[in-house]
Amino acid sequence: MAKNKRQAYSVNVEAGHQTSAVSWGTGRAVARIPRVSGTGTHRAGQAAFGNMCRGGRMFAPTKTWRKWHVKTNQNQKRFATASAVAATALPSLVLARGHKIEKINEVPLVLDTAVESISKVKEAVALLKAINAYDDIEKVVNSKKIRAGKGKLRNRRHRQRRGPLVVYNEDNGLTKAFRNIPGVELVPVSALNLLQLAPGGHVGRFVIWTRPAFERLDSIWGTQTVASAQKKGYKLPSSVLANPDLPRLINSDEVQAVVRPAGQKETKRPFTQRKNPLKNMGVLVRLNPYAQTLRRAEILGRAAGKVTKKAHAKNSAYIKTLLSEDTA
């Protein structure tokens, strides 16, 4: 969505080609790049047109018909905006964005209907000081810096942090009172802007609501059971988990009462020596349990072979003796 306000830019379509140049061809011991024709000037004979040449065009000249905008589905934008609104009610997220809300009584901060009728800047400043929200304004004032880069030459010389976002229902002078205070932005509740609720993609903007604006949220966005009155057939997305806080669920008494106690951690050696299963019987048995049976059969077979060999040796000696007696 942040890309959808970009303006198209490109170089001149004729840039780098506004000269008469032609290649000299081969046989003159120079590169075949087009060269400026003519004589009597330094420019004559210089290479032209190419992106590697002085005064030539850039590589792949930019065009105005680039795809500048990014289409986002309406349901996705609504989901993101609703999530950003919900995040403004979590003090941890608001503090994480850098807002100074340590002295604020509560978040979300909802003010009376009379705030929409304030028309003077000094009244608005007095209100912010009364609700202890002026620390966030001072943070914005102290953060004002000169922009790095060429933006400082293009009417955006300074940059600063974001302050509170004031959401109202009816403008009875409210915008004129708050619009000149550094960092403060205003938006009607009927046109909540995702880029203001989550600047830079970071949810948790410090939002100051007026009471009528806060009461209209249900009618504009609906609930998880009742459809919106202004967005046809739209309901807020429902969470799969009733309580998405998993650490709280895991550490709850109900879960801890039925789980097994945690055992000791088994720390494995980070760099174990690789053992050869052809030489190490224990590793071989882990890979192939039947190898142990084969090895046992082999050992038994060897033992049986030794017994047979001894008996055969005895028989051969006896036969040899008989043969020797017969011969004698």
Side-chain angles (χ1 to χ4, degrees):
M1 284 183 64
K3 291 185 176 182
N4 291 344
K5 290 184 68 175
R6 294 193 297 173
Q7 292 183 348
Y9 65 85
S10 71
V11 295
N12 191 334
V13 95
E14 296 180 353
H17 283 268
Q18 293 174 318
T19 182
S20 60
V22 65
S23 174
W24 288 359
T26 59
R28 299 185 65 173
V30 291
R32 287 175 285 186
I33 192 77
R35 298 178 181 276
V36 178
S37 58
T39 57
T41 176
H42 288 292
R43 184 63 173 143
Q46 287 184 356
F49 295 168
N51 63 313
M52 74 294 290
C53 302
R54 178 180 178 272
R57 51 155 173 78
M58 67 178 288
F59 167 74
T62 51
K63 304 294 182 183
T64 55
W65 56 79
R66 184 189 301 187
K67 186 188 174 197
W68 301 101
H69 300 83
V70 178
K71 182 184 179 299
T72 310
N73 293 340
Q74 186 183 61
N75 199 44
Q76 283 182 310
K77 288 190 286 188
R78 286 177 175 174
F79 197 161
T81 306
S83 301
V85 171
T88 61
L90 296 177
S92 56
L93 293 178
V94 179
L95 286 168
R97 271 211 89 249
H99 292 288
K100 303 295 183 182
I101 61 165
E102 291 84 355
K103 298 178 183 178
I104 300 295
N105 291 334
E106 62 179 359
V107 174
L109 184 60
V110 183
L111 303 181
D112 192 59
T113 313
V115 175
E116 295 183 350
S117 302
I118 294 177
S119 58
K120 295 291 185 180
V121 178
K122 63 181 180 181
E123 295 177 1
V125 171
L127 173 67
L128 292 173
K129 289 182 178 179
I131 61 175
N132 297 323
Y134 199 74
D135 290 346
D136 208 38
I137 307 299
E138 291 179 344
K139 176 208 68 175
V140 173
V141 173
N142 295 331
S143 69
K144 189 173 182 180
K145 300 286 188 299
I146 294 178
R147 183 185 299 273
K150 291 200 173 179
K152 67 167 72 71
L153 308 176
R154 296 172 180 167
N155 295 326
R156 44 182 188 269
R157 190 169 184 81
H158 297 93
R159 60 190 298 271
Q160 63 186 15
R161 299 289 177 267
R162 298 289 185 101
L165 175 67
V166 180
V167 182
Y168 59 91
N169 184 32
E170 292 183 5
D171 179 17
N172 297 324
L174 179 74
T175 54
K176 289 185 178 180
F178 280 91
R179 67 186 180 185
N180 207 30
I181 301 175
V184 176
E185 294 178 338
L186 299 104
V187 63
V189 69
S190 58
L192 289 174
N193 188 350
L194 178 61
L195 300 178
Q196 289 180 318
L197 289 167
H202 302 290
V203 296
R205 180 79 183 266
F206 176 33
V207 179
I208 300 174
W209 304 84
T210 64
R211 183 177 175 180
F214 198 76
E215 290 174 346
R216 280 193 63 192
L217 282 176
D218 282 350
S219 63
I220 294 174
W221 289 93
T223 63
Q224 295 179 351
T225 55
V226 181
S228 168
Q230 298 186 15
K231 306 177 191 299
K232 185 177 179 181
Y234 181 75
K235 292 181 181 179
L236 286 178
S238 58
S239 177
V240 176
L241 294 174
N243 182 8
D245 192 353
L246 290 180
R248 185 177 176 185
L249 287 174
I250 294 171
N251 296 322
S252 64
D253 295 336
E254 293 82 356
V255 175
Q256 291 297 321
V258 295
V259 297
R260 291 181 298 168
Q264 294 182 350
K265 290 185 178 179
E266 295 181 4
T267 56
K268 293 184 178 180
R269 292 172 58 190
F271 302 104
T272 55
Q273 182 182 5
R274 185 183 180 277
K275 296 180 180 179
N276 188 355
L278 298 177
K279 297 180 179 179
N280 190 306
M281 191 59 188
V283 178
L284 180 62
V285 169
R286 280 205 302 268
L287 295 175
N288 180 16
Y290 190 67
Q292 195 167 16
T293 305
L294 293 175
R295 182 62 60 89
R296 285 174 181 167
E298 182 182 352
I299 294 172
L300 292 174
R302 286 178 184 173
K306 287 181 180 179
V307 172
T308 308
K309 195 172 183 181
K310 286 181 180 179
H312 182 68
K314 289 180 179 179
N315 294 337
S316 61
Y318 176 71
I319 293 171
K320 189 176 182 180
T321 304
L322 287 177
L323 290 175
S324 61
E325 289 177 356
D326 292 343
T327 306

